[in-house]
Amino acid sequence: MENTIVTIKNLSHRYAKDWAAKDINFDINKNGIIGLLGANGAGKSTIMNIMCGVLNQTEGEVLIDGVNIRKNAVEAKKKIGFLPQKAPLYLDNTIQEYLVYCANLRKMEKKDITDAVARVKKLCGLGLFSERLIKNLSGGFKQRVGIAGAIIHDPSLVVLDEPTVGLDPVQVVEVRKIIQDIGKNRAVIFSTHIMAEVEAVCNDLKMIHNGQMVFSGTVQEFNNYIEPNSLTLVFAELPAPEALQKIGGVIEIQPITEKKVKITFDTNKEGISEAIIATSVANNWRLQELIIERSSMEDIFARITQDQN
């Protein structure tokens, strides 16, 4: 397809007798940020290593912009920027030295290297630290250097393996912003086992569990996988739980404070909110707030993986 940068067909890989990935199929468009979501050991890194030509798969094929990476690895890898979970940094280099090294490693034209280094330093916020030794940088800045090295050759596809692991909250936000900027004009794939990472930066996600694809779609579709099944209600004065229990569709009442209560309801029962409001008006309960609670990404993750077992 013209707008596709990655095509994976019937991809499977086995270590000894165990399958780390089995029958994986998906396409990735040339623009946007895609999360590869799954618990540790789910098979994410195996898939990314195969996609980037680090590992040869047992079965199936991977096409990078139409190029079979197993048959023509050099040509395919020209289109890829890959940052493994542990960034391959030379700690005794300065940032400037390391980025020039990365550019030469990518066999870039000498005349293009100066501009390329300046471009990635600006994008990753490294301009003021060019002559600082990498070993003296914080974890967040080391990760920025790793990302800069991965995109020095302006690849069409950027693959990041757990890029925010080990960073503090401020550093996480900074790295997320860099990823969003990179994804404005190319495809970015990054793996994570943290739900908030996907929700913060991704357009789409692929979820891996026990080496198999269990979900592929938008983040919104993932969030809507499980319908809301609870409400939080705030009253001027909390009515008796028995009175609330009589409303059709109410399953469970959980008092939170003297004015707040959580109600679990039957998702097959339509109009539960309207029924609560009408009953409140009729009984002068003075309902002040009604909040529909959406299932958390953790809940959805647990439900999907449970369904696959």
Side-chain angles (χ1 to χ4, degrees), residues 19-79:
W19 291 95
K22 187 67 175 174
D23 295 327
I24 302 295
N25 292 273
F26 61 81
D27 294 327
I28 291 174
N29 291 336
K30 291 184 176 180
N31 292 95
I33 303 174
I34 299 92
L36 193 61
L37 179 65
N40 289 326
K44 304 186 302 296
S45 292
T46 295
I47 292 169
M48 298 177 91
N49 285 332
I50 293 170
M51 190 185 307
C52 295
V54 178
L55 181 68
N56 283 333
Q57 66 271 29
T58 305
E59 298 174 0
E61 63 179 3
V62 177
L63 305 179
I64 306 297
D65 204 14
V67 178
N68 188 309
I69 195 164
R70 190 162 187 172
K71 295 179 179 178
N72 195 346
V74 172
E75 189 62 30
K77 289 179 182 180
K78 290 179 181 179
K79 305 172 186 291

Side-chain angles (χ1 to χ4, degrees), residues 22-216:
K22 187 67 175 174
D23 295 327
I24 302 295
N25 292 273
F26 61 81
D27 294 327
I28 291 174
N29 291 336
K30 291 184 176 180
N31 292 95
I33 303 174
I34 299 92
L36 193 61
L37 179 65
N40 289 326
K44 304 186 302 296
S45 292
T46 295
I47 292 169
M48 298 177 91
N49 285 332
I50 293 170
M51 190 185 307
C52 295
V54 178
L55 181 68
N56 283 333
Q57 66 271 29
T58 305
E59 298 174 0
E61 63 179 3
V62 177
L63 305 179
I64 306 297
D65 204 14
V67 178
N68 188 309
I69 195 164
R70 190 162 187 172
K71 295 179 179 178
N72 195 346
V74 172
E75 189 62 30
K77 289 179 182 180
K78 290 179 181 179
K79 305 172 186 291
I80 302 171
F82 180 40
L83 180 65
Q85 188 170 343
K86 185 173 177 58
L89 303 176
Y90 290 97
L91 300 182
D92 288 326
N93 281 176
T94 65
I95 292 175
Q96 178 72 22
E97 289 170 339
Y98 177 74
L99 294 178
V100 170
Y101 165 75
C102 290
N104 284 314
L105 197 64
R106 285 292 185 171
K107 298 184 178 180
M108 294 181 64
E109 296 286 341
K110 297 294 183 185
K111 62 182 178 62
D112 298 329
I113 291 178
T114 299
D115 288 345
V117 170
R119 171 178 54 81
V120 297
K121 284 194 298 187
K122 181 178 180 180
L123 180 59
C124 297
L126 298 169
L128 298 177
F129 308 94
S130 293
E131 300 307 317
R132 186 171 296 186
L133 293 176
I134 293 175
K135 67 182 177 183
N136 294 330
L137 299 175
S138 67
F141 271 89
K142 286 177 180 175
Q143 196 70 327
R144 292 191 196 195
V145 175
I147 293 172
I151 64 173
I152 189 73
H153 57 302
D154 198 23
S156 304
L157 172 68
V158 178
V159 181
L160 308 172
D161 193 356
E162 302 272 9
T164 59
V165 167
L167 305 184
D168 66 38
V170 174
Q171 294 168 342
V172 167
V173 171
E174 293 169 346
V175 170
R176 284 177 184 171
K177 178 62 168 59
I178 293 170
I179 293 171
Q180 289 172 320
D181 289 341
I182 293 171
K184 289 178 180 177
N185 59 359
R186 77 196 80 213
V188 177
I189 304 172
F190 79 91
S191 73
T192 182
H193 62 277
I194 302 170
M195 309 299 175
E197 292 299 304
V198 172
E199 202 162 34
V201 301
C202 290
N203 312 110
D204 298 280
L205 68 92
K206 316 291 181 184
M207 183 174 163
I208 308 298
H209 178 62
N210 289 339
Q212 295 184 310
M213 180 81 69
V214 294
F215 180 89
S216 178

